[in-house]
Amino acid sequence: MANLVYKRVSTDQQSTARQDLVLHEAGIEDPIGFEEDPGTSSRLHPLQRPKFRALLDYARPHDIVHVSEMFRLVRGTGHILDVLDVLHANRLALRIHDGAFSAMDLTARHPRTGELLSTVKFMVQTLAAAGELQRDLQRELTYDGLRAAEAKGSKGGRRPAVPTQKTDAVRTAYLEGRSIAALAREHGVSRGAIRTAVADLMPEHAAGHEDTSAREVPVVLDMPGKVADFLRATALEPVERTALDQGQAVQRGQGYTLRVSAVPAVHRGLLARCQPLDGSHDLPAVPAQRKARREYENRVSALTP
């Protein structure tokens, strides 16, 4: 029996670091890797992807196919059923190690009839998990777009109302005495756009404002239930306690995930209370809880400037 590991990213701006972490924590023995070339789209049917086809050609009966999250392999429920049919025909098992479907045995069959043991359960849970799978996929596509934009030099966000090539002219005209209203009419933009372009030149602008950090925007982040349980028993700042109390619990197999909305500084503060592993304010050093903390650390680290 061989352990066949499948990995995929959608753009060449992504890395497999997240998948590597999940698969490493799963403790897979002697893994044999099959990694799609960067940029292999999730829209391409799994059975048409070169490395997944290579995996199926290499596989022998009773081998196990390991994937970090379901959306790395499939795009929707139609793809799931197609892949399961092929795996069943080849007598291969499938293990999903995180996210939707991670607690389900999708390839178990009745020894006499050959039917899926969990057919009804599978279809019900598929409908329940379809939203989560779609959110996972949308999150991946969003990250893909952001990374691709960053690689091209774009920082994202709304474009300035005053075109960059006209900003210097607007600032010069303002210093020469032109009013904000007149400049707004001339350039066909709002007065607020002109004020933004000349903000540091306005009389009411204080020098200290130049060092003021931009206000952080709340970010929704999935916190493993074991981390949430640990933090609830820990002394927290009021803003941290509020973020936990207002979090939305989402059932995941035998456990749950707490969907927390907070500014990045609060997420980093909560993570700091779980570190270091051998410190007095850390999760107990048992594998499952250590794994949960590391998963949350990986998610929070993506928010760090």
Side-chain angles (χ1 to χ4, degrees):
M1 181 190 74
N3 289 306
L4 313 179
V5 174
Y6 178 76
K7 293 185 285 187
R8 180 191 63 81
V9 293
S10 292
T11 76
D12 56 9
Q13 303 302 319
Q14 287 183 297
S15 76
T16 58
R18 163 68 182 161
Q19 297 172 71
D20 293 338
L21 175 66
V22 172
L23 294 167
H24 174 73
E25 295 288 356
I28 301 170
E29 295 184 1
D30 300 322
I32 301 172
F34 293 84
E35 181 177 337
E36 299 287 357
D37 291 335
T40 303
S41 173
S42 59
R43 294 181 175 85
L44 186 64
H45 196 290
L47 300 179
Q48 297 175 344
R49 296 180 195 149
K51 294 302 181 180
F52 190 65
R53 289 301 317 173
L55 181 152
L56 293 176
D57 292 340
Y58 179 90
R60 295 294 179 267
H62 309 300
D63 285 352
I64 302 175
V65 179
H66 298 268
V67 185
S68 60
E69 298 110 333
M70 180 65 90
F71 70 85
R72 302 293 180 185
L73 177 60
V74 301
R75 181 176 175 85
T77 53
H79 287 186
I80 294 174
L81 297 176
D82 290 344
V83 169
L84 288 179
D85 284 342
V86 171
L87 294 179
H88 174 55
N90 293 330
R91 290 186 289 169
L92 304 175
L94 174 65
R95 297 291 181 269
I96 307 299
H97 291 283
D98 194 27
F101 303 100
S102 60
M104 298 174 61
D105 184 354
L106 303 179
T107 52
R109 299 277 173 162
H110 192 283
R112 187 182 58 217
T113 65
E115 295 296 325
L116 278 170
L117 289 175
S118 56
T119 301
V120 176
K121 178 182 177 183
F122 168 68
M123 294 309 299
V124 171
Q125 289 188 277
T126 294
L127 294 176
E132 183 64 29
L133 179 60
Q134 186 60 36
R135 281 190 291 273
D136 286 344
L137 178 62
Q138 186 59 50
R139 188 158 52 242
E140 180 200 23
L141 296 177
T142 299
Y143 290 160
D144 291 349
L146 289 174
R147 289 187 178 95
E150 289 173 358
K152 295 177 181 178
S154 173
K155 296 182 179 179
R158 296 180 63 183
R159 297 180 179 178
V162 178
T164 303
Q165 64 269 27
K166 294 185 178 181
T167 300
D168 289 342
V170 168
R171 291 167 64 84
T172 300
Y174 178 78
L175 289 173
E176 291 174 349
R178 296 291 299 282
S179 69
I180 287 177
L183 289 170
R185 287 193 299 271
E186 179 181 339
H187 293 280
V189 298
S190 68
R191 297 182 183 185
I194 299 297
R195 290 193 183 93
T196 299
V198 302
D200 59 323
L201 305 177
M202 298 176 69
E204 62 268 27
H205 179 79
H209 291 173
E210 296 178 1
D211 296 328
T212 302
S213 298
R215 181 181 178 185
E216 289 189 306
V217 178
V219 176
V220 178
L221 203 62
D222 287 350
M223 176 188 294
K226 293 183 178 67
V227 173
D229 293 341
F230 170 77
L231 289 172
R232 286 194 180 97
T234 304
L236 302 175
E237 294 293 334
V239 67
E240 296 171 339
R241 180 68 63 185
T242 299
L244 282 183
D245 291 343
Q246 294 179 351
Q248 178 184 1
V250 179
Q251 196 67 28
R252 291 288 185 84
Q254 301 301 317
Y256 76 98
T257 292
L258 188 67
R259 191 152 291 163
V260 178
S261 177
V263 297
V266 172
H267 283 298
R268 290 192 286 270
L270 290 170
L271 176 63
R273 299 184 184 279
C274 303
Q275 299 173 317
L277 281 174
D278 56 355
S280 58
H281 297 289
D282 183 35
L283 294 171
V286 297
Q289 292 172 326
R290 182 185 291 112
K291 173 184 176 182
R293 200 276 297 172
R294 285 177 177 168
E295 289 177 347
Y296 183 55
E297 179 180 15
N298 186 62
R299 293 163 187 159
V300 175
S301 65
L303 305 176
T304 304

